[in-house]
Amino acid sequence: MSAPVLSVRNLSIDYVGEDSDFHAVKDVSFDIAKGEFFGLAGESGCGKSTIAFAIARLHQPSALIRRGEILVEGRNVLDLDKKALEKFRWTEVAMVFQSAMNSLNPVLTIEAQFHDVLKTHLGLSREQSRKRAEELLALVDIPAERLKSFPHQCSGGMRQRIVIAICLALNPKLLIMDEPTTALDVVVQREILQRIDVLRKELGFSILFITHDLGLMAQVCDRIGVMLEGELVEVGDARQIHTAPTHPYTKKLWASMPRLRGAQIGGEASL
Amino acid sequence: MAFLLRRLAFYLAAFIAAATVNFFLPRVMPGDPIQIMFGSANANLTVENLNALRLTFGFIDAPIWQQYLTYLQSIFTGDLGRSIRYFPAPVSEILGRATIWTVGLVGIATILAFIVGTGLGIFAAWKRGTRADTAISLLAIFTTAVPAVVISLLALFIFAYQLRWFPSGYAYNPLLDPALSWTYISSVIYHGTLPMVTMFIVLLGGFAITMRNNMINLLGEDYIVMGRAKGLSENRVMFWYAARNALLPTVSNLAIALGTVVGGSLITEVVFNYPGLGNVLYQAILARDYPVIQGQLLIMTAAMLIANFLVDVSYVLLDPRLKKA
Amino acid sequence: MKQLLVGLSKNKKAVIGLSILVIILLVAIFAPLLTPYGASARVGRPHQPPSWEHWFGTTRIGRDVWTQMIYGARTSLAVGFGAGLMITVIGTVLGIIAGYMRGKVDEVINFFTNMILVIPNLPLLLVLAAFIGQASPLVIALILGFTSWAWGVRVTRAQTLSVREKDFVKSAEMLGEPKWRIMTFEIFPNLISIVGINFIGSVIFAVITEATLEFLGLGDPNAVSWGIMLYNAQNASALTVGAWWDMLAPCFALALLGLSLALINFAIDEVANPRLRTGSRLNRWKMLVRTGEGRI
Ligand SMILES: Nc1ncnc2c1ncn2[C@@H]1O[C@H](COP(=O)(O)OP(=O)(O)OP(=O)(O)O)[C@@H](O)[C@H]1O
Ligand SMILES: [Mg+2]
């Protein structure tokens, strides 16, 4: 096996309070291999988003990384200076936010939101950006005319796919998706995940997929980590986590899930 | 477009409301309205002149609604009556002359204050919690909490009377004749600077605080975090992701802030004895020159409505969500 | 409500603002004990500079400036809080009704509110006061109270619109509670901070506007207030003749009162809106980063 794309080592994150701290992430370690679809599950408030933000150093006061390392391709993200960090973001780690519907800037056209990232990182001109943006939109089945639209003129599912297209603009090594589909109905949700799975196989990036829907996760992921109140209590194969969970909390999670529906999305899509 | 037309209709209604106040006020006061309105001028008014004035203000032998229509008609034909104090000078002429000075003074001060204040607000919000933020916030609180009249008087005391850097009154050296010469223009600048800077300070804090709070409210929004996640430069995120969006509520607050602009300008002009609308109004109040006082309300309302309309237009231009609506 | 008060007691701006306000209040209440002179009595020669007998000098007609200032505080506080209360009550009641009832009622209230907001306030007040003649502080307070509630309606209505969608309001509706009960006991308590901001803001506005109207010569020249002090000083050309104390004393008083109220207002905003709060959490965070106990 080659070196992992992402390696989180003994990560602890606190939210600083007036006189005591809230330990949101406690000594968490896990790896994501190249091309792997990794899932992070756990109930609301267990610290999943906190980890996701920390990976791209997007956490803001009062979040504070107390201990640990975040290695992307062997480089500790926490050591990057301001310039290196700006360069690192999006070229190596791109991110779909928990509410991807609201993560497009309402006053800029879709085109401008492709262009600023392409210009900043690759120095592309307007025309070059437009061509590249058209290709990217094609990947997620969105017609090129949409480039001239503003976000409010697109439907929720469309916006979601546009964000994913922007994420792929620089061929990142890792795509973080923080509950990217919770606001969508089940059909659209499936469609988008299938699409991403196909793209992953084509382009070879890894995925960190966050959700509290363990059932959905078991359908799409290669490996799964289960979190409980800031701790990573179990990491394993999707199949193992599904059929033979070892930690009592994982069992409890399964017990609270409705029956699994449908086959593996990955399997279906590769037909 | 429909949006702007609706706003225009609304502004027309507001203007008529202001005119209605003018119409009814003398009539609901105890005593004879004609005596109230023109009493101070009985001595130097001929019968014809008095009759003309009565007609302008709707004092005719007819039911009240006809009087009202007569008054509205005079207003919409631009007839605001004549000044009692400076009889027979028409009110519109007196106010027109003063308006030029006020628009110059207030216009420049407001635009500068908006640009600088908004800039300070953006900076304070971006650096929130730092010393710079605290300093800007306190400065802004201070300038919004201290009455314009106090700020003006202090400026006058310090810079005109103590330091003698600036003159204490007038728009230009009264010995000069208005002309397009450097002497005249430099005199206008010399006399206008202190009142202008004072207005600027009066307005600055309000703009800064509004922008700061609007922007801080937005900083947690996902599209701003995404802007940072995209690895864009700090300036790009600060201006095009955060400030550009925070500008929308700021601009819609601007409409209300314009009331402060109008009020502040009145005071500044009185204190600095500047020959704009404020000073004309002050003189009119002292002489109880009611036609001028009433005309003033209409002019100021009209100015405020036009400014509001410009704000609406810029809002439509700034917010893509409104353009096609 | 309790939360708000606890938050305020920990907020530095609130504590400073409130302390200044209390001092001004005490000075106003105990004015007769703090000066040997009567407020309107001529007690010295005209335009005496500050001295041991006359701490802040005398006016052109020989009144004691310090005495006028502390008695004037009574007027400013009374007009400010009286008019402020009126403005807030009218604004809150109309705002909640408009936001909760919606439909026709809302349209009517909203239309008038917006109309009043675009007619410039000070010129309108000037016209009103000019026709009334020499308006006493009480009359000024009443005019302000009746004409200046529009901003309060706007913000209260906006807030009501979001509160009325909350679950506890919906469940009260399901239980068939009468509308007035819902508005008073379910909605109003959730608007406390907005109402507080509106109240303090209105007090500031009333204090400033009263002084302004009086300064412009629309007040009752026999009243004892900071605005009338300014008016008299202006008429006496105090600055031109070098009697700066005559002008600066009321200026200082107005600035101090305005500042204390604005600090309180800003603090309420900070406490009520967690996003605006910067305070001690952030300081501790910065300290931890500096001492290397964590990384950002
Ligand atoms: N800015 C903050 N200040 C203080 N505590 C916070 C802050 N942000 C999050 N927390 C706390 O940290 C914990 C972890 O939050 P996080 O957002 O990572 O949860 P999550 O697992 O993503 O939950 P969800 O599934 O609801 O998105 C939560 O208990 C939350 O209350
Ligand atoms: Mg989350």
Side-chain angles (χ1 to χ4, degrees):
Chain A
M1 271 244 344
S2 59
V5 169
L6 172 73
S7 176
V8 173
R9 299 266 134 260
N10 307 98
L11 185 65
S12 296
I13 305 177
D14 288 354
Y15 284 101
V16 174
E18 265 163 55
D19 26 49
S20 68
D21 300 340
F22 176 78
H23 309 299
V25 176
K26 302 170 196 158
D27 199 29
V28 167
S29 301
F30 63 92
D31 287 350
I32 299 181
K34 189 164 162 39
E36 188 174 38
F37 203 137
F38 185 89
L40 198 55
E43 65 194 0
S44 186
C46 67
K48 305 180 299 287
S49 300
T50 306
I51 293 181
F53 278 106
I55 293 174
R57 288 255 307 266
L58 285 168
H59 58 290
Q60 292 211 326
S62 59
L64 188 66
I65 298 183
R66 283 311 190 112
R67 231 169 311 110
E69 293 180 325
I70 299 167
L71 305 173
V72 173
E73 301 252 283
R75 211 157 44 127
N76 190 352
V77 177
L78 301 180
D79 289 336
L80 300 178
D81 64 13
K82 200 171 150 234
K83 270 272 152 287
L85 185 63
E86 276 175 15
K87 229 177 113 49
F88 158 81
R89 286 177 177 159
W90 223 252
T91 43
E92 304 203 22
V93 176
M95 188 162 172
V96 184
F97 292 92
Q98 190 152 3
S99 47
M101 312 248 269
N102 305 323
S103 54
L104 291 171
N105 186 341
V107 298
L108 295 182
T109 59
I110 307 297
E111 184 176 341
Q113 302 190 46
F114 272 101
H115 178 58
D116 58 13
V117 81
L118 289 169
K119 187 178 146 202
T120 307
H121 291 283
L122 305 178
L124 297 195
S125 70
R126 249 174 208 292
E127 280 71 55
Q128 289 169 316
S129 292
R130 187 174 311 129
K131 284 205 66 172
R132 176 87 179 109
E134 281 170 8
E135 289 164 23
L136 289 163
L137 282 185
L139 289 181
V140 292
D141 285 332
I142 291 194
E145 302 96 75
R146 280 293 161 190
L147 281 179
K148 290 196 194 59
S149 304
F150 285 95
H152 72 277
Q153 294 161 327
C154 306
S155 71
M158 230 182 236
R159 269 180 261 169
Q160 208 101 28
R161 282 180 287 160
I162 292 172
V163 172
I164 292 168
I166 298 180
C167 281
L168 301 178
L170 306 174
N171 284 324
K173 308 209 169 73
L174 175 67
L175 177 62
I176 301 176
M177 296 196 293
D178 189 354
E179 311 198 36
T181 53
T182 34
L184 301 177
D185 63 65
V186 184
V187 181
V188 184
Q189 181 176 324
R190 266 176 155 278
E191 259 175 37
I192 290 185
L193 283 176
Q194 281 174 7
R195 187 90 251 186
I196 287 179
D197 202 49
V198 172
L199 290 170
R200 167 180 73 114
K201 285 176 181 145
E202 267 174 40
L203 304 173
F205 54 84
S206 314
I207 295 177
L208 170 58
F209 179 52
I210 295 176
T211 181
H212 41 233
D213 185 347
L214 203 50
L216 179 69
M217 190 168 274
Q219 293 177 58
V220 295
C221 292
D222 302 326
R223 281 196 319 137
I224 293 176
V226 179
M227 282 186 74
L228 170 63
E229 287 170 7
E231 285 176 77
L232 191 63
V233 292
E234 184 169 6
V235 188
D237 242 47
R239 182 170 302 273
Q240 176 250 312
I241 296 279
H242 184 193
T243 53
T246 53
H247 196 275
Y249 176 69
T250 317
K251 290 178 191 159
K252 216 178 92 201
L253 265 188
W254 274 119
S256 66
M257 284 285 148
R259 290 304 308 156
L260 195 59
R261 5 153 244 253
Q264 283 263 134
I265 289 183
E268 226 172 65
S270 54
L271 282 180
Chain B
M1 226 50 246
F3 168 75
L4 291 180
L5 283 179
R6 250 197 341 269
R7 297 302 292 167
L8 271 182
F10 174 72
Y11 293 145
L12 188 67
F15 185 76
I16 292 177
T20 309
V21 171
N22 271 348
F23 175 79
F24 280 107
L25 256 187
R27 289 170 172 82
V28 299
M29 287 294 141
D32 175 19
I34 300 177
Q35 184 62 29
I36 293 177
M37 285 285 292
F38 316 119
S40 57
N42 270 347
N44 49 11
L45 240 60
T46 64
V47 178
E48 297 91 78
N49 283 335
L50 187 59
N51 282 340
L53 263 184
R54 285 179 169 185
L55 185 64
T56 304
F57 289 92
F59 293 111
I60 51 173
D61 276 330
I64 190 110
W65 61 270
Q66 272 184 13
Q67 298 185 12
Y68 181 57
L69 289 182
T70 315
Y71 176 62
L72 285 187
Q73 192 189 355
S74 356
I75 287 171
F76 280 99
T77 50
D79 178 8
L80 299 177
R82 287 164 193 280
S83 161
I84 304 286
R85 182 166 183 236
Y86 299 106
F87 199 85
V91 171
S92 48
E93 198 183 296
I94 294 182
L95 294 179
R97 214 177 317 131
T99 304
I100 299 171
W101 292 112
T102 298
V103 168
L105 183 71
V106 176
I108 298 175
T110 309
I111 291 169
L112 283 180
F114 183 76
I115 294 171
V116 177
T118 305
L120 284 177
I122 293 173
F123 183 74
W126 198 248
K127 301 265 173 207
R128 74 186 179 291
T130 63
R131 281 209 195 107
D133 175 27
T134 312
I136 293 175
S137 300
L138 284 178
L139 183 85
I141 295 178
F142 193 77
T143 60
T144 46
V146 179
V149 56
V150 169
I151 296 182
S152 305
L153 285 169
L154 288 179
L156 183 74
F157 173 66
I158 296 171
F159 297 105
Y161 285 103
Q162 293 298 307
L163 301 174
R164 296 185 180 280
W165 287 356
F166 294 101
S168 64
Y170 305 116
Y172 52 89
N173 186 343
L175 300 176
L176 291 173
D177 280 326
L180 264 182
S181 66
W182 173 239
T183 358
Y184 177 71
I185 293 174
S186 63
S187 173
V188 167
I189 295 175
Y190 178 53
H191 283 75
T193 306
L194 193 53
M196 177 124 74
V197 171
T198 307
M199 274 285 326
F200 173 80
I201 291 174
V202 168
L203 299 175
L204 186 68
F207 290 137
I209 276 292
T210 313
M211 188 63 184
R212 172 185 180 271
N213 290 358
N214 286 337
M215 186 148 144
I216 286 182
N217 273 324
L218 284 187
L219 284 182
E221 293 288 324
D222 287 311
Y223 53 81
I224 292 172
V225 186
M226 171 134 165
R228 293 202 300 132
K230 278 158 92 179
L232 305 178
S233 70
E234 194 163 333
N235 279 340
R236 171 92 189 162
V237 180
M238 175 160 81
F239 287 113
W240 283 93
Y241 283 70
R244 178 64 175 72
N245 280 287
L247 204 57
L248 293 172
T250 305
V251 165
S252 66
N253 278 351
L254 186 62
I256 299 178
L258 289 173
T260 327
V261 173
V262 171
S265 73
L266 282 178
I267 302 305
T268 314
E269 288 178 359
V270 172
V271 170
F272 290 99
N273 198 6
Y274 200 81
L277 286 171
N279 212 6
V280 169
L281 179 59
Y282 179 58
Q283 303 299 336
I285 289 172
L286 293 184
R288 292 292 188 261
D289 190 347
Y290 288 106
V292 174
I293 300 177
Q294 290 203 337
Q296 177 83 18
L297 175 61
L298 293 180
I299 297 258
M300 294 242 164
T301 305
M304 177 104 165
L305 297 180
I306 292 170
N308 262 282
F309 185 68
L310 293 179
V311 168
D312 289 339
V313 171
S314 59
Y315 198 89
V316 170
L317 292 178
L318 282 173
D319 189 351
R321 278 160 292 195
L322 276 180
K323 240 173 242 169
K324 293 215 174 87
Chain C
M1 186 76 194
K2 202 170 144 222
Q3 237 176 326
L4 186 68
L5 292 180
V6 172
L8 284 179
S9 67
K10 284 190 197 153
N11 187 302
K12 226 191 295 174
K13 295 192 186 82
V15 172
I16 297 176
L18 208 60
S19 311
I20 302 178
L21 184 63
V22 168
I23 292 174
I24 299 178
L25 200 67
L26 290 177
V27 167
I29 293 173
F30 296 108
L33 305 178
L34 296 170
T35 171
Y37 310 114
S40 307
R42 300 180 180 205
V43 293
R45 280 182 296 124
H47 274 166
Q48 292 294 296
S51 67
W52 190 239
E53 281 90 63
H54 303 289
W55 293 353
F56 286 9
T58 61
T59 68
R60 190 176 61 171
I61 55 172
R63 289 173 176 156
D64 182 63
V65 173
W66 163 250
T67 308
Q68 290 227 306
M69 201 169 114
I70 58 178
Y71 277 98
R74 294 179 163 188
T75 316
S76 275
L77 289 173
V79 170
F81 282 87
L85 193 67
M86 253 176 94
I87 295 173
T88 313
V89 170
I90 299 179
T92 307
V93 170
L94 288 181
I96 292 181
I97 291 179
Y100 184 70
M101 299 293 210
R102 295 200 278 200
K104 276 272 173 311
V105 182
D106 180 24
E107 268 172 43
V108 172
I109 295 178
N110 204 18
F111 179 80
F112 280 105
T113 305
N114 287 334
M115 182 158 297
I116 293 180
L117 280 175
V118 294
I119 297 179
N121 197 286
L122 193 60
L124 180 68
L125 290 171
L126 289 174
V127 174
L128 286 174
F131 275 102
I132 288 171
Q134 299 179 338
S136 67
L138 176 66
V139 173
I140 292 183
L142 288 175
I143 304 182
L144 291 179
F146 280 119
T147 54
S148 311
W149 40 262
W151 185 82
V153 174
R154 174 177 279 201
V155 292
T156 313
R157 174 179 173 272
Q159 193 77 7
T160 307
L161 283 177
S162 72
V163 172
R164 82 187 300 282
E165 300 302 329
K166 296 269 165 68
D167 288 340
F168 56 86
V169 177
K170 295 276 174 230
S171 63
E173 277 169 355
M174 298 285 241
L175 292 174
E177 294 232 13
K179 288 194 162 130
W180 66 268
R181 270 196 74 95
I182 295 182
M183 289 193 271
T184 334
F185 296 109
E186 308 290 342
I187 298 201
F188 176 69
N190 285 287
L191 300 177
I192 280 296
S193 58
I194 280 283
V195 172
I197 290 172
N198 185 13
F199 176 63
I200 306 283
S202 303
V203 174
I204 299 178
F205 169 81
V207 168
I208 290 182
T209 312
E210 184 223 1
T212 306
L213 289 177
E214 289 177 341
F215 171 72
L216 291 176
L218 291 162
D220 172 5
N222 295 317
V224 177
S225 75
W226 295 340
I228 294 295
M229 288 174 79
L230 285 176
Y231 170 73
N232 286 332
Q234 175 83 351
N235 272 353
S237 308
L239 289 185
T240 321
V241 301
W244 46 267
W245 54 88
D246 199 0
M247 192 64 102
L248 295 196
C251 281
F252 172 74
L254 279 166
L256 200 63
L257 180 56
L259 197 63
S260 72
L261 291 168
L263 282 173
I264 297 174
N265 220 8
F266 198 82
I268 299 182
D269 211 4
E270 269 185 359
V271 173
N273 185 346
R275 286 183 183 173
L276 296 182
R277 206 177 314 160
T278 45
S280 45
R281 280 176 68 193
L282 209 59
N283 287 338
R284 206 170 98 83
W285 182 86
K286 277 189 266 182
M287 196 263 294
L288 291 173
V289 171
R290 242 197 336 267
T291 54
E293 289 196 39
R295 314 187 63 171
I296 45 172

